């Protein structure tokens, strides 16, 4: 394995499921700066402006410091931890990582296992592909031949996922074919899949949904294995499929490319072992590991209410070992694991990393994509789930989800941001032209990344992908139907419609520049009337004022109004209450003010304070 590939694998591992995800909502901001021990708490993807604030310096000062380090950036761009550290140390600050210990945010808690405790875990595989290309047949064949064979009676039960054994190596399959479930889970921040098998029928070829599936897998940065299916059919044209794959940048390994391709017949059970062996091979390169000797955490795959058994959920263990009798918090509910069984209805007493099990014992039905953790103390588990339910009611988690969506796509180099686009158009020609032009847009620090471009109306599928990829949808001479429009609205996905190419390009360019340079809007925060003037030598004119409305802040801009006419605009030089400098004086209070570089103040003048507020886009 090349070094670069290995690095990518490591990076990917880092980006996986339990990555800490930070919210930028002011209320929940955990950053702390204490001037006493001068610590900046590092939150992934902090912007230059955030850091400046934490360090107590102005944005301009911060930019100067960065320039001094040879870092060219804008205040709204995020900077990496090393750069922050350089600036911070210079100012006598220490940088520390945010440590999340709040169990109600358990998804964000970083589990740091000692590398020596880590053991290989089986890969978790999702089967994707165009309709009728044989996904269901393939999953059934694998389940029948590999799961049922060893079990008494050979009864298999569909629990949403199953595990098979190939030459002593285990593989977990998610038993819901297609990318709807895959994307939905990802949109919820739960990336369970380690490897995607994309099925392409040899008698049909690379189809729109094949491309969609590949888009999803690439977007999730998950390795792809192509299974060319239906090779038993007389119309099968394997070479044709391979050349189609090469055209979409999936050149088969045997042609000198990097994509593993296996030829199979799901129906006639040809090539199944080869496919499974290939999955094992690819998973070995991924170096998937977990620590079985800790409390379990993982993700819900399916859940339902069963008349006899109560809440039944299929979960996949991500890390640790889950045992019957464990207390778990799952989404916003909790419970004590009453029973656990595998896909062959066999009762098990414990479940290891990557193992799917059906559990009973939860109080309420969780949602697919919800995560869980085992908590030793039952009472604590209950309290955590209650607090989470309360937070959900307040809408805290909704914001988190949006934030985690963008976190999905944070770049390896935090300094470079991606604008993800989905382009739908009326003809291939216009789409190509638009795509080419958009990808050429050069705004420093941004990469335009077209996640999907295809002919046709804007569909629900486009919206789900946009949601998973945090992308904007561009429609060129095409429109979404009302239902799709509503769906986009409810998911907060932006759809932009154009009929002229250059307008689309101009818009995107402007949007990118807008992302770089925030727009400011002036907001008047208060007014004060001058009641008395004091001329003090060497200091200048001090106006004794009374705040008539709002409040005056030390760092605000100020306008001098005389009979309603602006006669000067500048900055406050000082704001005092009696002898003390103050940060703010509210309505109904008296204060002393002086205006920078302006001494011609008169009794009766009104001083209007304003601040520049960043306009939200
Ligand atoms: P899905 O929509 O991708 O889940 O596709 P299905 O698994 O439902 O398969 C669609 C059709 O293709 C069914 O009629 C299958 O019997 C058939 N099929 C699937 N795999 C093969 C194969 O390897 N060879 C042949 N001849 N037919 C297959």
């Amino acid at each position: 394995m090349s070094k670069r590939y290995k690095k990518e694998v490591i990076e990917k591992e880092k980006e996986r499921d339990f990555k800490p995800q930070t919210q930028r909502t002011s209320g929940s901001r955990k950053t702390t700066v204490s001037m006493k021990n001068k610590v900046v708490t590092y939150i992934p993807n902090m912007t230059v402006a955030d850091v400046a604030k934490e360090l107590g310096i102005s944005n301009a000062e911060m930019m100067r410091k960065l320039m001094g380090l040879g870092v060219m950036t804008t205040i709204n761009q995020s900077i990496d931890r090393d750069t922050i550290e350089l600036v911070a140390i210079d100012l006598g600050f220490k940088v520390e990582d945010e440590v999340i210990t709040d169990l109600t945010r358990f998804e964000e808690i970083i589990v740091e296992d000692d590398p020596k405790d880590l053991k290989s875990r089986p890969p978790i595989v999702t089967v994707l592909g165009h309709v009728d290309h044989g996904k269901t047949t393939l999953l059934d064949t694998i389940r029948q031949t590999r799961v049922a064979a060893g079990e008494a009676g050979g009864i298999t039960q569909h629990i949403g996922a199953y595990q098979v054994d190939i030459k002593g190596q285990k593989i977990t399959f998610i038993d819901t074919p297609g990318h709807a479930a895959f994307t939905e889970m990802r949109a919820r921040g739960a990336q369970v899949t380690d490897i995607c098998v994309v099925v392409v029928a040899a008698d049909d070829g690379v189809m729109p949904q094949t491309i969609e599936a590949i888009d999803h897998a690439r977007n999730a940065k998950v390795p792809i294995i192509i299974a060319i299916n239906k090779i038993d059919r007389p119309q099968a044209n394997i070479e044709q499929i391979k050349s189609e794959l090469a055209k979409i940048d999936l050149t088969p390994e045997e042609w000198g490319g990097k994509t593993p391709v296996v030829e199979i017949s799901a129906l006639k059970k040809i090539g199944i072992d080869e496919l499974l062996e290939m999955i094992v091979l690819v998973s070995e390169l991924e170096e998937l590991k977990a620590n079985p000797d800790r409390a379990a955490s993982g993700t819900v795959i399916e859940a339902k209410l069963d008349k006899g058994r109560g809440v039944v959920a299929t979960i996949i263990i991500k890390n640790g070992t889950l045992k019957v009798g464990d207390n778990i918090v799952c989404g916003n509910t909790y419970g004590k694991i009453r029973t656990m069984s595998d896909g062959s209805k066999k009762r098990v007493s414990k479940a290891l990393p990557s193992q799917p099990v059906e559990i009973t014992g939860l109080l309420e039905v969780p949602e697919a994509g919800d995560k869980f953790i085992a908590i030793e103390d039952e009472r604590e588990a209950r309290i955590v789930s209650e607090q989470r339910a309360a937070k959900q009611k307040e809408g805290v988690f909704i914001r988190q989800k949006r934030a985690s969506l963008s976190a999905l796509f944070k770049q390896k180099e935090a300094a470079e941001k991606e604008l993800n686009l989905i382009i739908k158009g009326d003809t291939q020609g216009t789409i190509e032209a638009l795509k080419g032009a958009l990808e050429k847009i050069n705004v420093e620090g941004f990469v335009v990344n077209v996640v999907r471009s295809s002919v046709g109306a804007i569909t629900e599928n486009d919206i789900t992908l946009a949601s998973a990829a945090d992308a904007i949808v561009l429609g060129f001479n095409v429109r979404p139907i009302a239902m799709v429009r509503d769906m986009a609205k409810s998911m907060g996905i932006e759809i932009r419609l154009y009929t002229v190419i250059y307008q689309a390009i101009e818009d995107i360019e402007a949007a990118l520049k807008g992302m770089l340079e925030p727009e400011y809007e002036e907001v008047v925060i208060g007014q004060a009337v001058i009641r008395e003037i004091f001329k003090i030598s060497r200091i200048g004119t001090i106006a004794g004022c009374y705040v008539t409305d709002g409040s005056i802040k030390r760092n605000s801009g100020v306008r001098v109004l005389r009979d309603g006419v602006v006669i000067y605009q500048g900055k406050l030089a000082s704001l005092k209450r009696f002898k003390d400098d103050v940060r703010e004086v509210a309505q109904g209070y008296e204060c002393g003010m002086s205006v920078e570089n302006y001494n011609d103040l008169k009794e009766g003048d009104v001083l209007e304070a304003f601040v520049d507020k960043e306009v939200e886009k």
Side-chain angles (χ1 to χ4, degrees), residues 130-137 229-230 232-233 265-267:
H130 194 74
V131 63
D132 276 351
H133 278 199
K135 300 177 293 290
T136 315
T137 314
N229 189 31
K230 307 197 187 183
D232 59 297
R233 298 209 61 186
S265 166
L267 196 67

Side-chain angles (χ1 to χ4, degrees), residues 256-313:
K258 281 194 278 190
T259 311
V261 176
V262 187
E263 295 161 23
I264 63 164
S265 166
L267 196 67
K268 299 273 157 70
K269 305 185 175 40
I270 304 168
I272 304 300
D273 281 0
E274 284 78 358
L275 176 63
L276 297 177
E277 279 163 24
M278 183 59 85
I279 293 171
V280 170
L281 205 70
V282 170
S283 80
E284 278 167 3
L285 293 180
E286 294 287 295
E287 296 181 46
L288 307 167
K289 293 206 158 86
N291 175 11
D293 295 319
R294 65 154 55 247
S297 57
T299 312
V300 176
I301 303 295
E302 277 186 16
K304 61 176 185 220
L305 193 62
D306 185 281
K307 259 197 211 139
R309 295 183 296 160
V311 177
V312 178

Side-chain angles (χ1 to χ4, degrees), residues 149-165:
E151 304 296 333
I155 313 154
T156 53
Q157 172 202 11
H158 172 92
I159 65 162
Y162 62 79
Q163 208 166 36
V164 300
D165 208 297

Side-chain angles (χ1 to χ4, degrees), residues 109-122:
I109 294 177
I110 310 169
V111 177
E112 283 207 33
D113 285 305
D114 192 329
K116 72 176 188 325
D117 296 331
L118 293 175
K119 304 224 164 65
S120 287
R121 63 172 179 86

